[in-house]
Amino acid sequence: MLIQFILLFFATHFSQKDVVFFQSQELKGLELTSQEQEFVILDDQEHEIPILEYRDSSGLIYWYRRVLTPVCLTGECLLIDIGIYWDCTGDFFGLEVHGEHLTKTDHSIFSVKDYQHLMGILKNDWSVLREYEFTNLVEQQEGDGVDGISGATKTEIAMETVKDAVYTTYTIWHLAHLGEKEQLVELTANQLNEKNLILKALVTNKDSKYRYFILDLLSNGKLTSTPELDSLVLEGLRSFEDPKFKKLSYNALSKIGLNHQIQKSLISIYLIASIQDKIQILTAFERPIKLTPELHACFSNDLTIDNDWFLVKLKKVIEAKRQF
């Protein structure tokens, strides 16, 4: 019966113009262009699901999934037709509702406030909804129906769901959050390694979130060093206003190419660095890399510092006498 219902839904909805009944604020005014390439990730049941890549006018990536899914309990089902968007970091970004508005227990459609509340819930990666099973969202009563027709929503999750739409809220949140993020990050990393223009769009974006993201990818070995990434790391090492930017840049330092020009730039950074930061710089040179005479001399000047742990690191680098 459910399969017939889904087929009928497709016939009546997708044969007509695809009307968007709701679009979250973040998507409005954003010009997204499909790259006409389909990717595959796995859902929580290891089923393959198609993901599309979109880009905005600056070149930033957004991932998109169209979902037609039933929300069912005790044999009664409602179909929802939605489009889910994630940004390139794998974070939930936006929602579209197709076919018809989302509805509640009494079959009334979601109000503006309901949609606003839903969006607030979907933006929370660590919603309490993560901890509950689908069948355990309402107080157990005989004859429970879709979205708690008979049973009241459990108090501890009531604020994390749209009133009278607990199962719909739960279903959409799980579609947007569980299992997808890590896979979307992998897709983004692959695209960044293959397409330098996308990488440049992230490096030059004013939102620091994207700089943090690519530095984290770089430090974890998911990105290949490029001149753009090398410059970003050096910029972060010089940062005084953004401690997180600086920390992530030090974490990524060992992953970039420490060529002659970069070593020249590191001298001024090293001279004013704290002992802890100097140790991180030295750690980056524990690879088989030749030192320039200038940087070797800069390091050697610190042999008089009275710090045993620091001196162990320092001597390990300079006593190798690896020089250009």
Side-chain angles (χ1 to χ4, degrees):
M1 179 65 103
L2 177 58
I3 294 177
Q4 293 176 336
F5 186 26
I6 293 175
L7 292 175
L8 177 62
F9 186 94
F10 270 110
T12 57
H13 286 73
F14 290 95
S15 61
Q16 303 172 6
K17 184 178 179 181
D18 192 13
V19 178
V20 176
F21 281 79
F22 168 78
Q23 185 181 61
S24 56
Q25 192 63 39
E26 292 80 1
L27 294 170
K28 294 178 180 178
L30 187 64
E31 295 184 9
L32 295 178
T33 303
S34 172
Q35 299 306 296
E36 299 181 352
Q37 183 178 4
E38 187 173 284
F39 299 83
V40 173
I41 63 174
L42 302 178
D43 66 13
D44 296 334
Q45 288 75 43
E46 300 295 310
H47 298 142
E48 292 187 349
I49 55 176
I51 297 292
L52 298 178
E53 178 190 353
Y54 283 79
R55 294 186 205 165
D56 66 16
S57 57
S58 71
L60 289 181
I61 290 176
Y62 297 84
W63 300 107
Y64 172 78
R65 179 188 179 189
R66 181 75 175 267
V67 188
L68 178 66
T69 184
V71 179
C72 303
L73 194 68
T74 64
E76 186 177 357
C77 295
L78 299 174
L79 275 177
I80 57 174
D81 180 13
I82 57 176
I84 301 172
Y85 291 83
W86 298 268
D87 67 20
C88 63
T89 73
D91 286 341
F92 170 77
F93 183 77
L95 180 75
E96 288 178 342
V97 177
H98 301 265
E100 59 184 277
H101 276 291
L102 298 178
T103 57
K104 305 171 77 171
T105 298
D106 60 1
H107 304 294
S108 63
I109 65 173
F110 272 39
S111 67
V112 172
K113 287 186 177 180
D114 289 331
Y115 278 120
Q116 289 174 343
H117 185 36
L118 176 63
M119 290 302 301
I121 295 165
L122 295 178
K123 290 177 182 178
N124 180 9
D125 284 353
W126 297 101
S127 169
V128 70
L129 294 175
R130 182 183 291 271
E131 308 300 327
Y132 284 80
E133 296 294 331
F134 187 85
T135 56
N136 195 32
L137 298 174
V138 299
E139 301 297 345
Q140 295 301 312
Q141 295 183 21
E142 292 186 7
D144 282 355
V146 175
D147 277 353
I149 292 173
S150 299
T153 303
K154 289 189 173 181
T155 303
E156 58 268 31
I157 63 172
M159 293 300 295
E160 304 251 5
T161 61
V162 174
K163 182 176 173 55
D164 297 326
V166 58
Y167 291 107
T168 297
T169 306
Y170 178 92
T171 297
I172 297 176
W173 188 91
H174 277 256
L175 287 169
H177 287 282
L178 289 190
E180 283 82 357
K181 184 167 186 174
E182 293 79 8
Q183 297 179 76
L184 295 174
V185 168
E186 290 291 333
L187 290 181
T188 298
N190 291 338
Q191 293 297 84
L192 292 176
N193 281 321
E194 293 179 7
K195 299 179 176 67
N196 192 249
L197 286 177
I198 305 175
L199 180 62
K200 288 181 178 179
L202 283 180
V203 170
T204 58
N205 193 280
K206 294 181 180 180
D207 189 340
S208 58
K209 169 182 178 177
Y210 298 118
R211 294 190 303 184
Y212 300 160
F213 174 67
I214 57 178
L215 285 172
D216 189 58
L217 288 179
L218 180 61
S219 64
N220 285 301
K222 295 184 181 296
L223 292 183
T224 303
S225 177
T226 67
E228 292 82 10
L229 289 175
D230 296 349
S231 296
L232 182 65
V233 170
L234 291 175
E235 180 187 345
L237 298 183
R238 297 188 183 100
S239 176
F240 291 99
E241 297 79 18
D242 189 340
K244 184 173 182 178
F245 184 24
K246 185 176 183 178
K247 181 179 185 297
L248 289 170
S249 296
Y250 271 106
N251 291 344
L253 180 59
S254 63
K255 302 296 184 180
I256 69 173
L258 298 171
N259 58 37
H260 190 287
Q261 187 59 44
I262 289 176
Q263 290 192 37
K264 181 179 179 180
S265 299
L266 280 173
I267 292 175
S268 60
I269 296 170
Y270 181 86
L271 287 172
I272 62 173
S274 66
I275 290 294
Q276 290 75 20
D277 289 343
K278 285 184 175 182
I279 288 174
Q280 291 197 71
I281 293 174
L282 291 170
T283 300
F285 282 92
E286 290 181 347
R287 294 176 282 166
I289 298 171
K290 292 182 178 180
L291 298 176
T292 64
E294 295 81 6
L295 187 57
H296 189 277
C298 178
F299 288 165
S300 299
N301 288 336
D302 277 350
L303 284 170
T304 58
I305 291 178
D306 184 17
N307 184 304
D308 291 341
W309 174 241
F310 171 72
L311 288 176
V312 168
K313 284 282 186 181
L314 180 60
K315 290 177 180 179
K316 186 175 183 179
V317 173
I318 64 175
E319 287 179 357
K321 296 182 179 178
R322 298 165 295 179
Q323 298 186 38
F324 282 103

